[in-house]
Amino acid sequence: DAGVTQSPTHLIKTRGQQVTLRCSPKSGHDTVSWYQQALGQGPQFIFQYYEEEERQRGNFPDRFSGHQFPNYSSELNVNALLLGDSALYLCASSLGGGRETQYFGPGTRLLVL
Amino acid sequence: AQSVTQPDIHITVSEGASLELRCNYSYGATPYLFWYVQSPGQGLQLLLKYFSGDTLVQGIKGFEAEFKRSQSSFNLRKPSVHWSDAAEYFCAVGAYGGSQGNLIFGKGTKLSVKP
């Protein structure tokens, strides 16, 4: 049973560029949540997708957007990258909208220069 | 506002010694509580969770945690630490409304293990 997978594992971008990160949920899960973990901090909730819609959003600007596909996989897009966007981006999957336990992927490490 | 506080940024224990990592939460309703562990460069692995019922919950790798409502705490314990337990530990509370939910994390406690 495959767990949560994310791609790419590492990414280097320059300020002003755009980036897309990808996540495949654990088998049987239909909900995907994205978190940003800055160095030395705990993860912070970005948004959550369920039934192909953004259902909840944390305190992140509109530069952060996402999508969920019919197979429940998800993308996180960040436009106009800032140096402060450098972080580990974690995807978590769960069942039924987020009340159930969330299982995390290994993350994508983004460095913005 | 909902929040999680982990008062200890860094703890060092000797291998074989007991461990207690502290977690305090602020949440208006009955909390759903979690402990996750993160090894360097890795994602988060769930150690244990509390949803309801018995306030002492058992997790993987010999960890346990006790929910104390009166103290708003959910401390993680292990009777005998192994060198492989060195990692960062995060406490989280589930912020749930209706059928939706997300996690609010503490800033983490880094555990070092002395041989």
Side-chain angles (χ1 to χ4, degrees):
Chain A
D1 178 22
V4 180
T5 60
Q6 293 186 243
S7 63
T9 55
H10 295 82
L11 206 49
I12 300 175
K13 292 286 187 178
T14 57
R15 280 181 300 174
Q17 285 189 312
Q18 178 263 343
V19 69
T20 297
L21 311 181
R22 295 175 177 82
C23 171
S24 290
K26 185 177 168 67
S27 178
H29 285 183
D30 57 8
T31 303
V32 173
S33 304
W34 287 92
Y35 293 81
Q36 180 195 66
Q37 186 179 17
L39 202 60
Q41 301 294 315
Q44 285 197 292
F45 175 70
I46 303 175
F47 44 54
Q48 182 180 88
Y49 278 84
Y50 174 60
E51 294 185 338
E52 301 181 50
E53 291 185 359
E54 182 184 295
R55 297 293 289 264
Q56 294 184 86
R57 190 178 184 91
N59 188 26
F60 279 80
D62 292 345
R63 297 187 297 108
F64 289 77
S65 63
H67 189 79
Q68 186 178 36
F69 299 93
N71 67 353
Y72 307 120
S73 66
S74 176
E75 288 182 348
L76 164 65
N77 302 292
V78 187
N79 295 322
L81 284 166
L82 303 173
L83 296 180
D85 295 330
S86 295
L88 180 67
Y89 288 84
L90 295 164
C91 167
S93 76
S94 55
L95 186 61
R99 284 189 77 91
E100 299 300 321
T101 303
Q102 297 187 15
Y103 294 88
F104 285 79
T108 294
R109 175 76 61 186
L110 172 65
L111 178 60
V112 182
L113 301 176
Chain B
Q2 301 148 350
S3 65
V4 175
T5 301
Q6 293 181 247
D8 304 306
I9 297 173
H10 190 186
I11 284 181
T12 300
V13 300
S14 297
E15 190 169 16
S18 63
L19 171 70
E20 182 169 27
L21 301 182
R22 296 183 291 165
C23 172
N24 294 98
Y25 66 89
S26 173
Y27 189 69
T30 301
Y32 287 27
L33 296 161
F34 305 81
W35 276 99
Y36 287 86
V37 61
Q38 186 176 39
S39 298
Q42 302 297 312
L44 300 173
Q45 181 183 22
L46 178 69
L47 285 176
L48 49 77
K49 62 187 178 186
Y50 171 78
F51 280 8
S52 65
D54 193 348
T55 57
L56 184 63
V57 294
Q58 303 296 320
I60 62 171
K61 304 184 179 186
F63 286 94
E64 66 177 27
E66 186 171 13
F67 169 58
K68 292 186 177 179
R69 184 188 300 274
S70 61
Q71 298 176 20
S72 298
S73 70
F74 188 56
N75 294 348
L76 182 72
R77 301 193 294 248
K78 186 170 184 177
S80 177
V81 169
H82 188 262
W83 64 266
S84 61
D85 294 324
E88 188 142 26
Y89 292 79
F90 292 94
C91 180
V93 64
Y96 296 145
S99 62
Q100 302 173 9
N102 64 80
L103 296 175
I104 298 171
F105 285 87
K107 292 189 175 181
T109 297
K110 184 176 180 180
L111 173 64
S112 297
V113 180
K114 291 190 299 185

